Amino acid sequence: MPAKTYRDQDADLSLLTGKTVAVIGYGSQGRAHALNLRDSGCKVIVAQRPGGANHRLAIEDGFEPLSAAEASRQADVIAVLLPDEAQAEAFGRDIRPQLAPGKSLVFAHGFGVRFGTIEAPEGVAVTLVAPLGPGSLVRAQYVRGSGVPCLVAAGSHGASHAPREETSVTRNAMNALGTALAYAKGIGATRVGAIETTFAEETETDLFAEQAITCGGLTALVKAGVETLVEAGYQPEIAYFVCVHEVRQIVDLIVRGGLSHMRQSISNTAEYGDYTRGSRLIAAETKAEMKRILAEIQDGQFAREWSDEHEAGSPVFRAMRQQQASHPIEEIGRRVREMLARNE
Ligand code: NDP
Ligand code: MG
């Protein structure tokens, strides 16, 4: 069954008429949602802690930043757009005490709801409007008259698996979905499409993809590739070009027309190498590891590990960030980008 997709005509922005939407956190997503909703005619208030660039930006954009507690008190719809690892604490302290039946929560990622660090009181709608792109793009596309598609869900589907069956029915869930779709329309997402999902499906697939493919898998793949060539004595810049830069062209072709379309554009030699070598690399062993990574997401092990790390002040995270930033591949990349800039 293809995923159910909602567009502008399926969403009723008037569900937000007379209501106040609080955007909590004026970061990547927060700023884009606040500006788009305001331009769509919604009454928007912003919560942003003082002292940093985002606070100044909110003021420059014409908002008067409030505390999270005050904004949650005034609002009917509360969009929690803080970093996932900071949400549990801020939610318990500032937001939850201000909730009452009839209010709605909006999240842009299901992490806290899915793993139970965020629980709303009875009568509060819990919704998900997760844009499939960074905040800068959510804003830029809106201004252009288009939008970034999103995933929508209503109701807190804590349990994993069988996501489709969970989406059926109570009146509350219908109202919650209506609110989610109105919000999705307000940020411009239904101009392109809001795809129905559940908190569990969105959270688990998103974490899996970023760990195994788009972030973890890809960076490990290109790093191992560059290292293999450099260790064999090839010039680092050449290694970087072929293993890192060319990824973009291939990915663009795949996104535009699928794997076969990409394969029509590359040489027959490349295509034959693709068929005969790729499956040697991503073999049964790699897929077995992918299944273990997915299982750690589904059973909450990854979420506990990341929450514990945040509570401990992120020592491992910060050490790894520093270590990875000083990997030799980054120095090679700097030289390659410099070279390209000079030739522009
Ligand atoms: P950002 O890191 O860009 O912004 C976070 C905001 O929260 C900032 O305004 C920051 O303020 C504030 N903040 C951070 N820590 C605290 C804290 N402890 N207490 C109070 N305020 C705090 O977040 P994102 O926009 O990237 O993420 C928000 C949500 O959107 C997340 O759930 C994320 O998963 C989701 N999402 C993000 C996407 C993306 O591409 N970025 C894509 C889709 C979903 P300050 O400036 O003072 O630090
Ligand atoms: Mg993601």
Side-chain angles (χ1 to χ4, degrees):
M1 184 177 79
K4 182 155 190 192
T5 303
Y6 301 89
R7 295 187 200 285
D8 271 351
Q9 66 268 22
D10 310 311
D12 181 6
L13 201 52
S14 76
L15 291 174
L16 297 179
T17 306
K19 300 202 166 162
T20 300
V21 182
V23 169
I24 314 289
Y26 205 71
S28 172
Q29 291 295 329
R31 176 171 192 256
H33 294 208
L35 292 174
N36 292 6
L37 287 162
R38 189 174 65 182
D39 289 350
S40 294
C42 301
K43 181 174 182 218
V44 180
I45 56 177
V46 163
Q48 169 61 45
R49 64 181 175 188
N54 286 330
H55 188 260
R56 285 193 295 278
L57 194 57
I59 294 170
E60 274 171 37
D61 289 340
F63 293 106
E64 291 171 22
L66 305 166
S67 70
E70 178 56 23
S72 305
R73 191 187 68 76
Q74 292 183 19
D76 305 289
V77 177
I78 302 160
V80 185
L81 300 176
L82 304 168
D84 299 301
E85 66 279 14
Q87 285 186 12
E89 195 189 330
F91 183 80
R93 188 191 52 220
D94 303 326
I95 301 171
R96 199 177 193 285
Q98 308 298 335
L99 296 177
K103 291 199 181 194
S104 302
L105 290 163
V106 178
F107 294 89
H109 179 38
F111 193 91
V113 172
R114 163 64 182 86
F115 296 113
T117 55
I118 287 175
E119 269 180 90
E122 197 69 26
V124 171
V126 182
T127 73
L128 177 75
V129 180
L132 295 164
S136 50
L137 196 63
V138 171
R139 180 59 184 162
Q141 288 292 83
Y142 180 92
V143 170
R144 217 170 279 146
S146 182
V148 169
C150 73
L151 302 177
V152 287
S156 57
H157 304 294
S160 182
H161 306 307
R164 285 272 139 58
E165 278 127 67
E166 291 174 324
T167 57
S168 59
V169 272
T170 68
R171 183 170 287 278
N172 268 347
M174 295 292 286
N175 288 343
L177 184 63
T179 304
L181 289 172
Y183 187 100
K185 188 172 188 172
I187 63 170
T190 49
R191 290 170 177 174
V192 187
I195 304 161
E196 189 170 3
T197 182
T198 64
F199 276 87
E201 186 176 55
E202 185 274 337
T203 306
E204 293 162 24
T205 56
D206 188 62
L207 289 173
F208 176 77
E210 66 201 18
Q211 293 176 16
I213 313 294
T214 53
C215 304
L218 182 64
T219 55
L221 182 71
V222 301
K223 237 170 54 182
V226 171
E227 282 170 5
T228 301
L229 289 177
V230 171
E231 284 162 20
Y234 298 100
Q235 294 182 71
E237 289 80 2
I238 304 282
Y240 196 91
F241 262 115
V242 296
C243 292
V244 184
H245 263 240
E246 291 193 14
V247 168
R248 179 175 173 176
Q249 300 158 24
I250 298 298
V251 169
D252 278 349
L253 288 166
I254 294 173
V255 171
R256 201 168 309 135
L259 301 180
S260 301
H261 170 73
M262 178 277 286
R263 284 163 172 157
Q264 277 163 25
S265 307
I266 60 180
S267 68
N268 289 340
T269 315
E271 187 178 351
Y272 180 75
D274 166 349
Y275 297 141
T276 57
R277 266 52 182 180
S279 55
R280 278 170 55 186
L281 205 58
I282 310 296
E285 203 185 316
T286 311
K287 194 160 164 202
E289 194 60 41
M290 282 187 182
K291 286 181 193 258
R292 279 192 288 275
I293 287 172
L294 180 59
E296 287 170 16
I297 291 167
Q298 290 170 330
D299 69 14
Q301 191 182 322
F302 174 78
R304 273 194 303 281
E305 179 185 321
W306 178 222
S307 297
D308 290 349
E309 171 66 9
H310 177 68
E311 267 167 42
S314 308
V316 177
F317 180 55
R318 280 184 292 154
M320 284 179 148
R321 188 182 257 173
Q322 215 188 355
Q323 187 203 344
Q324 292 287 329
S326 55
H327 187 279
I329 194 173
E330 291 294 73
E331 181 47 39
I332 305 169
R334 262 189 293 276
R335 291 205 300 273
V336 167
R337 286 188 296 275
E338 254 179 51
M339 205 162 95
L340 289 171
R342 271 203 304 276
N343 291 338
E344 259 166 19

